[in-house]
Amino acid sequence: MANYTLIVMSDSHGNPSVVEEIKARYQGQVTGIFHNGDSELASNLPVWEGIQVVRGNCDGEGYPDRLVTQFAGLTIAQTHGHLYLINFMWDRLYFWAQEEGADICLYGHLHQATAWQEGKTVFINPGSVEQPRGPVQEKLYARVEVDDERIKVDFYTLDHQLYPALSKEFSR
């Protein structure tokens, strides 16, 4: 039985300390750590060692626009979202996730924590660890637990407290 734990953050907008703190808390204890862009940090900084990171619309060069990460039995498609026009439609992001055979599609850009499923793919926006938007004005990141039967998404505050109102669980 495959069990994975993922930590997902996004939109840290020039705050390296929040990225470093989340990384220090989880590195070596989880399967993977992901940052969905708009860090506004240089791509060659040591903080990115051990983190899967993509370029957001506020980032410079040196980051990939998208990544596909595979663990045995799990495919994760990751992008910031702006290149897929997610402010206006979901079709492009959805079709890319399907092309990649993604079990999980990670994105950012909107600064709003949410998780939803379309087809077999669970889409996760961890919110923003620096500038939240929308109805939930809490700086959040996501913890994703995956096994052979389910994908559980929980959101946490920067003091690592569960924000239970947004928790969701999906069948695989």
Side-chain angles (χ1 to χ4, degrees):
M1 179 178 229
N3 292 307
Y4 305 102
T5 302
L6 314 173
I7 298 300
V8 187
M9 66 183 113
S10 191
D11 295 278
S12 52
H13 288 284
N15 184 349
S17 62
V18 70
V19 177
E20 291 167 352
E21 202 278 325
I22 291 170
K23 175 184 172 182
R25 181 174 184 90
Y26 292 105
Q27 191 170 39
Q29 300 176 40
V30 298
T31 311
I33 301 174
F34 298 81
H35 190 293
N36 296 343
D38 274 2
S39 69
E40 298 184 46
L41 302 175
S43 63
N44 61 352
L45 294 178
V47 69
W48 298 127
E49 292 172 19
I51 297 178
Q52 298 290 92
V53 60
V54 294
R55 183 176 68 85
N57 55 297
C58 294
D59 291 322
E61 297 300 316
Y63 297 102
D65 289 328
R66 60 188 187 177
L67 287 173
V68 177
T69 302
Q70 297 193 347
F71 302 107
L74 182 68
T75 300
I76 302 165
Q78 178 189 16
T79 191
H80 185 60
H82 65 295
L83 298 175
Y84 293 89
L85 306 175
I86 63 171
N87 294 68
F88 308 106
M89 68 180 119
W90 294 105
D91 293 2
R92 291 181 182 192
L93 185 66
Y94 171 77
F95 288 130
W96 174 61
Q98 298 315 300
E99 286 172 10
E100 297 296 345
D103 299 291
I104 297 172
C105 182
L106 304 176
Y107 67 99
H109 190 55
L110 301 177
H111 296 224
Q112 295 183 35
T114 189
W116 48 282
Q117 187 170 29
E118 183 76 29
K120 82 164 199 157
T121 306
V122 174
F123 293 82
I124 302 169
N125 186 327
S128 173
V129 292
E130 186 60 27
Q131 299 173 0
R133 295 183 187 146
V136 177
Q137 290 293 306
E138 187 76 50
K139 296 175 182 179
L140 299 171
Y141 66 93
R143 181 182 177 109
V144 184
E145 302 283 341
V146 182
D147 63 31
D148 290 337
E149 297 176 9
R150 67 181 180 96
I151 297 173
K152 186 175 188 311
V153 183
D154 288 313
F155 296 90
Y156 285 83
T157 63
L158 294 188
D159 58 357
H160 312 292
Q161 298 301 305
L162 179 65
Y163 195 91
L166 298 176
S167 294
K168 296 202 176 153
E169 190 170 311
F170 306 95
S171 295
R172 282 194 70 190

